[in-house]
Amino acid sequence: MVKLDGFIKETSRLSNNLLSMPRKCISKSHYTLVDGYQIPSDRTVYLNVIDVCHDEKLQGQNPKEFNAYRHNSSATKLDRSFLIFGRGKHACPGRYFAVNMMKLLFNEIILKYNIKPENEEIEPRS
């Protein structure tokens, strides 16, 4: 299951448009970040996830290429290099359910199909 967790994490990292959803500042006047930058009320903010997901310092060598063995921790573990489920107190509470559903989906695919190398076709099992 550790390899499957790594595969899920890498797949999620490369399809990072999940976090591109806009966030709206709902504070009464403004929200102040740790570095002192202030976001005015009702301002829409976009998170630049591509920089995090494709940063060589955070992701290792060749961050734009798929490497199923890049991660060796649980797909639900929160860390600085993996923002798909958020961080801190705002982390997604359904991340365990989501990852378990992905594992069930992969299990069904493996049971129903003969998985072959890239140059051969995938045929349904009978």
Side-chain angles (χ1 to χ4, degrees), residues 5 9 71-88 91-92 95-96 99:
D5 274 338
K9 228 173 170 177
H71 306 281
N72 59 0
S73 63
S74 170
T76 57
K77 183 179 182 235
L78 304 172
D79 57 16
R80 294 185 66 180
S81 63
F82 187 71
L83 295 174
I84 300 303
F85 293 118
R87 293 272 321 223
C92 178
R95 65 185 180 272
Y96 301 101
V99 169

Side-chain angles (χ1 to χ4, degrees), residues 33-84:
L33 300 174
V34 177
D35 63 356
Y37 185 80
Q38 294 181 344
I39 300 171
S41 181
D42 293 331
R43 177 72 51 97
T44 303
V45 178
Y46 290 87
L47 185 63
N48 190 357
V49 245
I50 294 174
D51 278 352
V52 174
C53 292
H54 294 171
D55 185 8
E56 196 165 329
K57 292 177 186 174
L58 293 172
Q59 306 300 337
Q61 292 180 345
N62 303 323
K64 294 182 182 179
E65 295 178 10
F66 181 84
N67 178 2
Y69 302 107
R70 185 182 308 270
H71 306 281
N72 59 0
S73 63
S74 170
T76 57
K77 183 179 182 235
L78 304 172
D79 57 16
R80 294 185 66 180
S81 63
F82 187 71
L83 295 174
I84 300 303

